[in-house]
Amino acid sequence: MARTLDHVEMDKIVSLCKRRGFIFQSSEIYGGLASTYDYGPLGIELKRNVRDAWWKRFIQDRDDMVGIESAILMHPKVWVASGHADTFTDPLVECKACHHRFRADHIDSQTCPNCGGELTEARNFNLMFKTNIGPVEDTASQTYLRPETAQGIFVNFQNVLTATRKRLPFGIGQIGKSFRNEITTGNFTFRTREFEQMEIEFFVKPGTDEEWHQKWIDLFMQWFIDLGVREEKLRLRPHAQEELSHYAKATSDIEYSFAWGWGELMGIANRTDFDLKAHTQHSGVRLDYFDDEIEDPDQKHYTPYVVEPALGVDRALLVFLFDSYDEETIEGDTRVVLHLNPAIAPIKVAVLPLSRNARLVPKAREVYDLVRSRFVAQYDDAQSIGRRYRRQDEIGTPLAVTVDFQTLDDDNAVTIRNRDTMQQIRVPIPELVDTLAECLGNSW
Ligand code: GAP
């Protein structure tokens, strides 16, 4: 639906997130840990819904997809084979006076932007977080926190193939935490050092990779639009040759138009057979495919190509917040509202007694129990009904059910208020659950 605000400033989102319990600064009472965030009670509901929407659309609803969950810690050789040990780096310069470090490609000046001091020559800095396994902290025990979930899929390619007997084309998806010691962070949860990814590695016959690349771009564009993101706020940006990662033949980013400009929401890469071949070479285990539909015996074994749609959960969540946020003027008052799609809204239905009147409360609790048996619901009886509607609007609750004296004395019915239109309908309590389901588009 149309918005009053064209662009939403970051401070409004940060302030709403803290005020209403979506996202908090990590370790805030100790002054905060830079670029790390905690999800509060509403934030975690929203995050779970985003993950679930992804998992349902791309894993459960497709016959050509399966899911896995691999460990964050992997054998250190994985990162040598994948190329991350050598090439997952940013060029850094360091100030000789204040020792601040900056990404060489992000600063224009020859001197330190912090204190004006002299800068060192640029040198490459690996973005992976090092850690040690076991009690001895030597190089033999050293490994990394994974910087992408993708490698956990590649190393399990043969396991999944054998266990599921899938035929090409098919894909493996997973959702999990990744870690990068990012030099340039900022813009709230847009770029952080600990984040969550939802990644798919889709294995295809070489030669069909470009067609599948385009298919996955279209599928993800549609997913965002189906979840309510306005089409005009999304665009596709193919990477220039010099921008491509070491493994990619082609990558296109889906970008979102933030207040500060276009920013990457996700990347869809054609990773070719780079990873499966690299792991075959480094592990000595053949990660290839036997194609029984090919007649020529010399051609039957080949390494599949991979198309990879990679999306950050935190970044998707941020886009859903930005895109749904609005401030509307109603009878001289400002209403802050999140027009979240019901499928991802943290709370689907609020149950509100007209007041805390002793006669109303038992009936309202009864209605609440009925509603929460089917939907994620919240009971709220503090302050005036108008304020409670505003509070629910601000957290994106699509529907509010109000129990009043007419419910008790007259019709055993309640009103349902729609967050977006603010229109109300009166519904008999025995029909309430079905009507709510219909109003939510059966997509909660
Ligand atoms: N496996 C491929 C891969 O990881 P990427 O473009 O580096 O590709 C994919 O990351 C997505 O993960 C990004 O488009 C973004 O949504 C998310 N992401 C990457 N780095 C992030 C960070 N530091 N903070 C938050 N999200 C991040």
Side-chain angles (χ1 to χ4, degrees):
M1 66 180 289
R3 304 278 189 274
T4 311
L5 292 180
D6 185 40
H7 272 113
V8 181
E9 299 301 324
M10 180 58 98
D11 338 353
K12 288 187 192 276
I13 298 295
V14 175
S15 151
L16 172 72
C17 283
K18 164 126 201 214
R19 190 168 71 245
R20 299 310 312 274
F22 281 94
I23 302 173
F24 307 122
Q25 175 72 63
S26 161
S27 316
E28 193 179 354
I29 60 168
Y30 289 99
L33 180 67
S35 299
T36 41
Y37 293 91
D38 299 338
Y39 285 84
L42 290 177
I44 191 57
E45 291 293 340
L46 178 57
K47 203 177 193 197
R48 281 163 50 96
N49 294 339
V50 171
R51 288 193 206 110
D52 288 352
W54 182 96
W55 193 264
K56 177 154 175 33
R57 172 75 65 97
F58 298 117
I59 308 285
Q60 293 176 333
D61 287 354
R62 294 183 65 102
D63 289 332
D64 57 0
M65 285 291 306
V66 292
I68 63 161
E69 183 174 300
S70 66
I72 288 172
L73 296 173
M74 301 182 74
H75 196 291
K77 282 188 184 165
V78 167
W79 306 111
V80 176
S82 70
H84 285 82
D86 281 340
T87 57
F88 196 56
T89 55
D90 276 342
L92 281 199
V93 289
E94 185 174 328
C95 172
K96 291 180 179 171
C98 72
H99 300 290
H100 266 78
R101 289 174 169 188
F102 306 92
R103 263 184 69 167
D105 51 343
H106 283 191
I107 57 168
D108 300 329
S109 66
Q110 300 299 314
T111 51
C112 171
N114 188 43
C115 73
E118 192 189 341
L119 296 172
T120 61
E121 287 294 307
R123 65 190 178 87
N124 282 334
F125 170 80
N126 197 296
L127 299 183
M128 287 196 292
F129 276 103
K130 290 191 187 75
T131 189
N132 290 84
I133 300 217
V136 184
E137 288 192 18
D138 59 9
T139 46
S141 69
Q142 186 180 291
T143 189
Y144 303 93
L145 302 185
R146 68 178 175 202
E148 61 170 12
T149 62
Q151 298 304 324
I153 296 179
F154 293 127
V155 300
N156 277 297
F157 172 74
Q158 211 52 259
N159 282 337
V160 173
L161 196 60
T162 310
T164 64
R165 307 173 74 85
K166 287 275 174 209
R167 310 307 298 154
L168 287 189
F170 82 97
I172 307 174
Q174 80 163 321
I175 301 178
K177 290 266 184 165
S178 292
F179 302 83
R180 294 180 192 177
N181 200 358
E182 301 275 8
I183 307 312
T184 315
T185 53
N187 280 336
F188 198 33
T189 57
F190 183 81
R191 182 169 288 106
T192 53
R193 299 198 167 100
E194 174 180 342
F195 54 99
E196 207 170 337
Q197 289 186 305
M198 306 188 275
E199 296 200 289
I200 291 170
E201 306 306 322
F202 198 78
F203 303 98
V204 303
K205 192 172 174 185
T208 64
D209 48 305
E210 288 178 14
E211 182 194 328
W212 274 106
H213 191 208
Q214 187 57 47
K215 273 191 199 167
W216 278 106
I217 290 171
D218 297 343
L219 285 168
F220 268 92
M221 271 289 188
Q222 195 56 49
W223 186 69
F224 288 115
I225 292 165
D226 289 348
L227 284 177
V229 180
R230 289 161 294 168
E231 203 168 343
E232 67 274 18
K233 294 280 177 190
L234 296 169
R235 77 170 186 192
L236 193 69
R237 191 184 68 80
H239 282 204
Q241 201 62 29
E242 62 277 11
E243 223 187 319
L244 290 175
S245 305
H246 60 277
Y247 50 71
K249 164 177 159 186
T251 298
S252 286
D253 287 346
I254 295 181
E255 296 188 329
Y256 181 79
S257 171
F258 292 96
W260 66 85
W262 290 96
E264 176 189 333
L265 170 51
M266 71 177 296
I268 299 128
N270 182 341
R271 284 182 88 127
T272 69
D273 54 7
F274 175 89
D275 301 271
L276 291 180
K277 278 199 167 149
H279 287 302
T280 298
Q281 192 194 335
H282 283 81
S283 69
V285 177
R286 267 173 78 167
L287 300 180
D288 63 4
Y289 181 74
F290 178 75
D291 196 333
D292 47 17
E293 285 173 13
I294 293 182
E295 308 251 308
D296 180 350
D298 294 338
Q299 307 286 319
K300 275 180 177 293
H301 276 281
Y302 58 82
T303 309
Y305 265 40
V306 176
V307 174
E308 177 196 65
L311 169 62
V313 183
D314 313 82
R315 208 171 281 183
L317 191 147
L318 195 62
V319 163
F320 290 127
L321 286 175
F322 266 99
D323 202 71
S324 63
Y325 184 98
D326 205 8
E327 289 175 6
E328 298 165 2
T329 309
I330 292 161
E331 292 163 9
D333 239 17
T334 301
R335 159 173 112 124
V336 173
V337 54
L338 292 183
H339 293 288
L340 287 171
N341 183 295
I344 54 170
I347 309 291
K348 313 299 181 200
V349 184
V351 177
L352 318 171
L354 191 63
S355 70
R356 281 184 173 160
N357 179 286
R359 281 182 64 223
L360 278 179
V361 169
K363 189 70 181 172
R365 302 283 327 181
E366 198 185 294
V367 170
Y368 177 49
D369 285 343
L370 177 71
V371 170
R372 77 196 300 203
S373 67
R374 179 79 179 271
F375 311 101
V376 178
Q378 194 172 72
Y379 184 85
D380 186 5
D381 63 2
Q383 299 181 308
S384 75
I385 189 80
R387 282 190 170 221
R388 281 180 276 152
Y389 282 147
R390 291 285 180 274
R391 274 208 296 269
Q392 294 297 331
D393 290 342
E394 201 182 38
I395 63 170
T397 309
L399 300 172
V401 170
T402 308
V403 179
D404 54 25
F405 290 104
Q406 205 182 323
T407 315
L408 299 178
D409 301 334
D410 193 5
D411 57 4
N412 195 36
V414 289
T415 54
I416 302 177
R417 173 188 178 270
N418 180 301
R419 172 199 68 200
D420 297 337
T421 62
M422 288 180 288
Q423 281 175 353
Q424 306 196 359
I425 52 170
R426 194 128 188 114
V427 180
I429 292 175
E431 292 166 29
L432 179 61
V433 168
D434 286 346
T435 311
L436 289 171
E438 209 175 297
C439 295
L440 290 168
N442 285 308
S443 60
W444 61 95

